[in-house]
Amino acid sequence: MIETDFLVIGSGIAGLTFSLKVSNHGKVMIITKKEKAESNTNYAQGGIAAVMSPLDSFDSHIQDTLISGDGLCKREVVEEIIKTAPIRVKELIELGVQFSKSEDGKDYDLGKEGGHTHRRVLHATDFTGREIEQALLTAVSNNKNIEIHENFIAIDLATENGQCIGCYVLNKEDSEVVEICAKITVLATGGIGKVYLFTSNPDIASGDGVAMAYRAGASIANMEFVQFHPTCLYHPYAKSFLISEALRGEGAILLDNSGNRFMEKYHELKELAPRDIVARAIDNELKKSGDDCVFLDLSFKDSDFIRKRFPNIYKTCLSFGIDMTKQPIPVIPAAHYACGGVKTTTSGETDIKNLYAIGEVACTGLHGANRLASNSLLEALVCAHNAANKCIEQIKKGIGFCEVISWIPNSTVDSDEMVVVSFNWEEVRRLMWNYVGIVRTDKRLLRAKRRIKNLQEEIAQFYRDFKINSDLIELRNIADVAEIIINSALLRKESRGLHYTLDYPEKSNEPSDTLIRIRARNNQKK
Ligand code: FAD
Ligand code: SIN
């Protein structure tokens, strides 16, 4: 049994920022299920939104966020996060993050993305996430109060009398389960993209935090709002590669297979309309034409500019034989971001005592029904700071350790049926793509619900019969997250933001959050 003051699950921007901020107040243990840099954060391209120019204003950033959120953002949350953004971003800069500067090197080169009425996106060319992740990891590695364990995958939260007391974790290197007792446990586990067949997210994004919190009895909010990024690279060998919205911010246009621009039919802001509108427009064009993809064209811009501003996208496209300085890039929408998540305050408090959730795993009310581009890194940064302050207060008041009951394995038999596990992975992801995608109907949602229930029964059987491993842990999680998304979508009898259903195409006059909560399942093996 391991004891730590702060157990942080996840090493993206949220988990690392939190860890650094609490590190003077106790022992911090970060666990992360692969190599430490492997996170959604590491792949962020466009940047981080904050008001940094005298030409911009908080009011404008707030307004853009509210419009994008389509009536479901919590205004006080939006105001709080946006008004503290510049302070938190300056801390990142002090930590060593080098954002791109203008030609004369005096000001930051601010990018533009869909739904933003001003240039306000700080970026490090199109490697923004990697720049932030590396700066945070360097600071963590120089901090003697923080331990980081790679290849440790959290299985389930340990709870007692309605409070979180730690976590069960599989050490992937020796396949042993360890019990970690923590005064405070922080979910910073990121997104859910892998629940869908096509996604911009890396493999780590299997919704583990949402699934664990759900099984522990926490409230989960607004999971029907899955954001589909309009432009991911379409190529048989390109897995999960995003073509940043910043291209459209620099003037890139969307074309159909015959070279016709189509966004003007859908929104006055054309390619820079909010993301839900652009993704739906592409989906509609593809359904009408039967084509496999549409095209994003920036080739009319100066090629030196393209290579300098988008070195990552340029090189990756070129490796697939696409020269974006000369030709349009084939693109399709793909699952990108969870606007919903574990319901929290802006300080990461969940409705389970001593359990916090920050970053993409959380639902604070900032994004409403559709996140404004580049507001996600921002939310993670601000809420990690706030959560750290809240947890320091809690620790100072005094929290004791509670013993986590030992894990008793259900079986010691290694599964000889891993192939079935991968079939089930594929089935969940395909049915979510086909039935719970950009355009929904009750009939398709109900069909998905029945299939997920069957799959969950099979997965539970695997859990009982075989020795636990990371594929099985993630499979159970994507199935649980799929169930939550489907149930949330069935509860919303309207079309709003990212949730569009042919059965209820109008918006309701009284929008509200969807909340999903179960009585905690008994996760502790006795
Ligand atoms: P992550 O950075 O995803 O970190 C999650 C961590 O949790 C990882 O270390 C993971 O290994 C770990 N983990 C997960 N489950 C477990 C488990 N069971 N046990 C142990 N560890 C676990 N947002 C913006 O604002 N601007 C952008 O430009 C932008 N571009 C993006 C581009 C791409 C390609 C993608 C995928 C996302 C982008 N986003 C962007 C979204 C943004 O990157 C994420 O929302 C944000 O980085 C999430 O940070 P996080 O710390 O919450 O989670
Ligand atoms: C992008 O660069 O298009 C992603 C930005 C985001 O998801 O906020």
Side-chain angles (χ1 to χ4, degrees), residues 9-15 31-34 36 38-41 43-48 152-154 188-191 200-202 204 208 212 242 336-337 358-361 371 374-378 380:
I9 309 175
S11 56
I13 186 172
I31 60 163
T32 190
K33 67 178 171 179
K34 283 184 113 181
K36 56 193 171 194
E38 198 52 21
S39 57
N40 276 6
T41 301
Y43 296 94
Q45 294 182 353
I48 180 162
F152 268 41
I153 177 166
T189 48
S200 65
N201 292 192
I204 54 98
D208 300 1
M212 287 190 284
L242 185 77
H336 181 62
Y337 183 84
I358 47 176
E360 188 167 341
V361 67
R371 173 178 68 100
S374 290
N375 266 357
S376 164
L377 291 170
L378 175 63

Side-chain angles (χ1 to χ4, degrees), residues 51-190:
V51 175
M52 302 293 282
S53 151
L55 302 174
D56 194 3
S57 68
F58 288 139
D59 276 351
S60 164
H61 191 180
I62 290 167
Q63 216 34 48
D64 292 347
T65 302
L66 294 173
I67 290 171
S68 195
D70 207 7
L72 219 58
C73 300
K74 293 203 168 45
R75 194 182 178 100
E76 65 289 0
V77 168
V78 175
E79 290 191 1
E80 181 191 342
I81 292 180
I82 282 169
K83 288 183 180 169
T84 47
I87 307 170
R88 301 283 83 87
V89 166
K90 279 179 196 145
E91 287 173 356
L92 270 187
I93 294 168
E94 280 157 21
L95 203 77
V97 174
Q98 297 204 1
F99 291 114
S100 298
K101 295 259 178 110
S102 56
E103 286 282 290
D104 61 11
K106 283 196 190 132
D107 300 308
Y108 286 105
D109 176 47
L110 301 175
K112 195 159 189 269
E113 290 176 53
H116 288 277
T117 51
H118 284 87
R119 285 193 169 265
R120 64 166 72 95
V121 182
L122 287 126
H123 62 95
T125 65
D126 55 355
F127 281 113
T128 311
R130 193 176 76 179
E131 175 68 20
I132 294 175
E133 183 72 19
Q134 284 309 317
L136 289 167
L137 281 175
T138 303
V140 161
S141 68
N142 292 331
N143 189 313
K144 61 180 184 351
N145 291 341
I146 306 177
E147 272 177 29
I148 183 157
H149 293 268
E150 295 181 318
N151 297 314
F152 268 41
I153 177 166
I155 307 168
D156 262 316
L157 297 167
T159 52
E160 192 172 278
N161 299 329
Q163 78 177 50
C164 184
I165 57 172
C167 191
Y168 295 98
V169 178
L170 177 74
N171 178 349
K172 287 161 66 179
E173 277 157 21
D174 62 10
S175 299
E176 292 300 322
V177 175
V178 268
E179 297 86 10
I180 303 181
C181 279
K183 292 179 180 169
I184 282 173
T185 304
V186 181
L187 292 171
T189 48

